[in-house]
Amino acid sequence: MDHTLKPNNSNNNNVSIPVRLPDLSTQSPANTDAITPDSMYTALLEPLQTQTSIDHDSVQTKNNQEADYPNWNGAEISFESIRLLFNHFKRTYGFQHDNVQNMYDHLLTMLNSRSARMSSKLALWTLHADYIGGEHANYRKWYFAAHLDLNDQYPRSDPTHLLLEEAKREWRERMEHMSDLDRLSQLALYLLIWGEAATLRYAPELLCYLFHIADAYKPSTSPQQQRQQQPSFLDDIISPLYNFVRDQSYQVIKGHYVRRERDHDKIIGYDDMNQFFWSKRSIASLQLVNGPVQYLKEIPMELQFESLKDVDWNRAFHKTFYETRSWLHLLTNFSRVWIIHATSFWYYMAASVDFVQVDRTGKIRTLAVDLPVRLTMVGFGGCAAVIIMMLATLAEFKHLRLDRIKGRILISRMFLLALIALCQFTGLGYIVFVDSTGRWAYVVSSVQLALGALASIMLVVVPPERLFHPAKANEHLSCKAFTANFPAMKRDDRFLSVLLWLCVFSCKFLETYFFLALSFRDALTVTMQMQLSMCGQDPVLGRWLCKAMPVLTTILMFAVELALFFLDTYLWYVIWNTIFSVAQSMRLGISVMTSWRQLFAKVPHNMVAKLTAPLHAVTRQMRHMACSQMWNAIIISMYRDHLLSVNHLQPLLYQVQMEPSADDGTVTRRLEPPTLFDPTRPSDQLPPYSEAERRLSFFAQSLATQFPQPCAVEKMPTFTVLTPHFSEKMLLSLREIIREEDATTRVTLLEYLKRLHPTEWSNFVKDTMFIAEESDAPCEKDDLPFYCIGFKSSAPEYTLRTRIWASLRAQTLYRTINGFMNYARALKILHRIEQPNVDSSEITLTSPDEETTKETYDEDQLDFVAHQKFRFLVAMQRYAKFNTEELANCEFLLTEYPHLQIAYIDEETDEQTQEVSYYSVLIDGHCDVMANGRRRPKYRVRLPGNPILGDGKSDNQNHSLIFYRGEYLQLVDANQDNYLEECLKIRSIFGEFERQVALEDVYGANHPTPVAIVGAREYIFSENVGMLGDVAAGKEQTFGTLTQRIMAKTGGRLHYGHPDFLNAVFMTTRGGVSKAQRGLHLNEDIYAGMNALIRGGEIKHTEYLQCGKGRDLGFSSILNFTTKIGTGMGEQLLSREYYYLGTQLPLDRFLTFYYAHPGFHMNNMMILFAVQVFLVCMTIVGTVALSVPGCGTADSLDFDCFSPRPVYEWFKRCILSIFMVFFIAFLPLFLQELTEKGTGRAIWRLTKQFLSLSPLFEIFVTQIYANSVLSNLSFGGARYIATGRGFATARTPFSVLYSRFAQPSLYFGARTLLLLLFVSLAVWIPHLIYFWATVTSLLVSPFVFNPHQFVLTEFIYDYREFLGWLSRGNTSRYYDHAWISYCRQVRTQVTGNKRKPRQDWTLRGNKPIVAVPRATLSNILVSEIVMPLLQSGFCVVCYGFYKARMVGSPLGTTGVLGRILFGSLAPVLYNALVLVVLQVVSLAMQRLARTGFYVAMLAHLLAVLGFLVVYEALWAMERYHVRSCLLVLLAVFSVQRFLFKAFVGLFLTRELHHDATNRAWWSGRWTGREVKRLAAREYMCKIVEMSLFTTDFILGHLILFVLFPFTLVPSIDRIHSVILFWLRPSKQIRPSVLPTKERRRRRKIALLYGPLFIFVLLSFSALIILPPKLAPQLPVAYQELLKHF
């Protein structure tokens, strides 16, 4: 049936749109005029009803259906009709039986949910509008964009605007004239397609296309053809598309999914496939493999569905956006940030820095330039903006797949930008070369200044995508409907957003000018006027050094100033963002400004007014009853969780007071509120600083804020809580809590929890003893088992109580389920209150047990109501592979919570073909237990293949998403918690989503922006678990609350996974709740937020509801999480979402987005860049200061002197700026604590963090963040890191920490230390203390925050393990934890591993090896080659200048370069010779078992000795001058580093995935042709490895030397534990209790390795101290020999 939009005859201006509308009927094409929609649907159902083969078991019986969906009473559409419709679709399209069942329940649950608060007809209309026909429906947007080629907006003067308006009008008419049966038919078909789409759910427009084709499908009615056709939607349609996606990233080899060696720019991912369906031209290009015609479009629309299985998808899809691993993405996406700062910096420098000119004598002198020249130079900043935009546009050519439209837009932009730049250069040329003083000079310079300013403003304000291209044009670089459909902001919010950035930049520009720019002008004048000439000492470099030093100094000073200019912006953003957020919290009433006691006085009124639905004819007594039931339930829940003792319980409950009447003797019952609600009485009922106090305080505070009025429980929407689970701990076992984890753990988990929660443990023990009827007055001595392990009897019911108590205080899945199941309890309480059918006098309020309450409600009815409104779904991916313990824990959860639903992935192997089939399976506690101990599935939907193609979590969520129910989703992680009092507010959250609409306006225009996501606060319950837990909690707390509060107001908040509430229809029709391309979408949650933002969804944040959340607690786990976030950000920078947002957002929203997300990481990188460049700059200045006399001194000349004071003053301000940028990180947490908890607690928390050395930790985290982003942009390799959320009580060995953090931090810290040593000796100012703290943090933080690091015996044991780590792995056995494995892993990042050996390994049936591609030269050119080259160049110049200026310091015939080359190459050549000799020895001794171990140990020992000899030679050549020696070591190390990195990056071939060549080299057993062929390569690798081994050996020992003195401090372990764990000395963890045999072994190790360590320490000290002392006593011949060097 051909539905086209036809013009209305009454309006001659209307235009016909010859495009087929979606076929909304199910009638036959014939006789279309004779059948109305209703009769058409009846005609469809009649033959179905007469068939005898109807699948009557596919759904429940009619009575059960009506009971399950009581609110849905569509009189025109019976349950039987809906059932028949689903069965018809099953046979017509080949949908799976369980998919039909599942989607039937899914649709009716959603209709039932909406029908609870509106008519069934309106429920159906609104649901159809949300999915298909409404103004904001994704299908409608797709249809208008892809089939009508119409965007949402056009200028009214454009004829296309009339076309769009007519299309909208006729679309609305078509939607409104549909029958309800057609609406239901479309909903059912869309959901069935969505339910079977598997991973294709990430491509929403692909699903729109499939629905469009399926809806238009008219199958043949011939019985013969119906018998021949047995369609399978999964196999025919979904599987080919899935196979295409899978084959882009994987090869299937012997059942293993082996990753291809492709980066993102070579993979056609979900987004590329989805974007194919944005264009009508693309859809028209679909070709068939085997068909009667070439193109799918040539087949009639009603038959195209049958040919979808023949479409050649391999030829259809192509890359639409190239996620090339390049820094150019930052240039394109954030060009406006660079323009703002570059042009502003230019204006500052051009206006404030005096111009210089070189006279004929070569002397630089400052001139007073003419005003036109100055105006021209200032105005030339506009040209800088144009050049940046031109470079960004050139990069855009690289990122986009160009076609005619995109090429024309970009080329026209480049042309106009070039024209503006030409005008700028023309004006500059006129002023400089033609006339600089005349009248026209003033005119030209003024015009150029105005043009430059206007160009800068335009390029900043106008988004790049709209630059010289109207926003309402017909053609764009990307489809606006899916990339720039940003939700409109309220006027007040937009004003706040603009005001925020006006404040930020106003303060920034003022502070930069007065604090930095003025001091920089004076410092720059000194360096540019510096004239050096006496550099004749060096025979090779000569006087070139004197010319280079001022230039290099000036360049580095500009680099530092520019870096600080960038940093200032982030500093002021944090300050003003915090101020605005605090002001917003005060406006909302969330602050300590309100009296704490007054808040509780208002709680009874607020609870009834804000937590219960409005009730008619409510008496005062009923309000009291309602409040008492809610309040008593909250208090009792805390008592049951052992947060309150019995003594606290009674005063906090509502009590029933019996008051006899004096007149007639009758007894009157009166509710007595707790004294907590009386502000005139003392309020000491709550334990101070307890969890109960915190929860109740926030509850009372939140009730004072404004939030939507809740509806009745019966009318509230249905929602689902979704929790992904992989291997997180479900329930702690008894063994885990009463036994130590391993040999490095000094305490059991239960002991640690008892120390963290002593009051709660005491309450638990008393409760347990009461249950066991042990004693009324427990005594700890008599009942020691209870106080030790929580039980005396080992009966399961008692041990289980202890396990549950511990699990509820750890980060377990049980804690999450237990907390969020409070939704069901809350709904029961609220429903009982709102449906009172019992006299209030019959209710007993004094009992702490709710089961004693005399209820007339049927508990089954309450349970039904709660289950109807709330579902809990756990995506338990590994359920089918659980071991016995995990399965038992899961069964306990299902028994405890029968309504808990678990979705998992099942696998089934065909015995004949060995092919594996995958299924999405759903079970709950009501499912029968099968013989194998597992539950019988409720639904089992077959998948096209393995659904886990990404990093895991997102795919786990996606496969289980088909089992959610209701209208809203809440996403929580398996380490979260919830509380009953917070669950009572759940209905108000749904009020944030609701938009009331009348039936006649459902398909109308100008509907409010749909709310896609509503965020809530988080309380980090791990904040009191020591310093590290508190710091991690503080960061999460400020970001999750303070930052997101103002981000939501200014339109910059996204989705961060937890505990956000999602509009399920909006999100599932736009790609789901996350994205899943492996690596690229590592931080999967945030992409759902970006997707919602660019597709028109509003994102809110609420302050009145909070959920608990755990955070990482150990140093390594926190840093693993940091690494995951950092590498994930590196991937985000490459994504198309960042491109869309960065090039299309309005300026204020763009700045909010940038500084709240990538700007944080860019700031971290900028801090470390500024520190490094600043230290290099100070090194050069220090070299000059040591070598050149000060101006005005007796030894100075007018032209050969240096005035350091202005430069030193500038140094001080720079250090202060860097320090402030770091210190400002503590401001948000302090102000949040100040506003919400008071001054005392805020100061105490900050003081505890500072006393616990948290600044060191913050510096280290900054380094890890920066390194993670840099490493990912250079090498890739982003992957999900399982951080682990246990308590960090175990001691990590030194070698593990060293190998984990050497690459990201320790090496950088060591290089910085050498620079800082020289700077401190050359240019000491007190401000350098901050840099010393930074270097200390970079080098020792992993060990300082390691539990029990300073126990002397453990320290010696660490030293033994460190030596073992250095030496192991060189014999016949491979060690994963060995220095050689670590070295090869670092090298493989650059070289990659060999493809063929890796594939052969997999073909032999082994576990697949992870493919590591070779890093491309363009990726590593800057980080691995250019930066080391620059650093080595600076160090060589510094050393050369210093030596050239030193009188009486002969350099020999080779000069400075010769000495540096000697220090750099001598160890390398020596190692090469040693390796040749030892290889001969290995070949001769290859038959011995441990040849490899001894030869490798000897070689490494000789390498260390060779380095020490060279070091001593340099020490002697420098006449034992410390500063000179430091400079030569800096030069030598930097040159060596550059040579090694250049060799590995440019010349070294790929690495084998195993270490056979390493073991062959040391053992001499060269077996295997492939291993022999790599002998020469291994020789070159060994030369590099010998030097790297020396570095790790010496650096590791130096760190140990620094840590060693602390082990000798009395009670250092107790002090250290106080710092880490915040446990009082009386609560300290006991020392380890080791067996006698273990104690003897450790004593033996200490006696052996202790003296060895002392010997090495004395030897290193002697090599530094003794040579200067002994040198004067050496013969004269030795002194003469040194002169030749």
Side-chain angles (χ1 to χ4, degrees), residues 619-633:
T619 65
R620 181 179 179 183
Q621 184 182 19
M622 293 181 65
R623 286 196 295 270
H624 279 296
M625 288 297 304
C627 180
S628 66
Q629 290 187 53
M630 289 185 286
W631 179 259
N632 282 8

Side-chain angles (χ1 to χ4, degrees), residues 589 591-603 676 679 683 697 700-701 704:
S591 71
V592 294
M593 302 300 291
T594 306
S595 170
W596 188 77
R597 299 180 68 179
Q598 289 296 330
L599 278 177
F600 277 98
K602 298 177 181 178
V603 165
L676 185 66
S683 55
S697 298
Q701 197 175 54

Side-chain angles (χ1 to χ4, degrees), residues 882-903:
F882 276 175
N883 57 34
T884 304
E885 179 186 345
E886 291 174 317
L887 191 60
N889 290 336
C890 186
E891 278 301 309
F892 170 75
L893 293 176
L894 291 173
T895 305
E896 185 82 2
Y897 304 103
H899 290 307
L900 176 68
Q901 296 183 318
I902 294 177

Side-chain angles (χ1 to χ4, degrees), residues 813-851:
L813 179 63
Y814 179 80
R815 180 175 189 166
T816 303
I817 294 175
N818 178 76
F820 283 88
M821 278 297 182
N822 280 317
Y823 281 132
R825 292 186 59 202
L827 294 178
K828 292 177 183 179
I829 294 170
L830 292 170
H831 187 61
R832 185 185 296 117
I833 291 171
E834 294 168 0
Q835 299 293 331
N837 61 347
V838 61
D839 190 343
S840 60
S841 62
E842 296 179 359
I843 299 180
T844 302
L845 299 171
T846 57
S847 173
D849 191 348
E850 286 183 311
E851 299 300 325

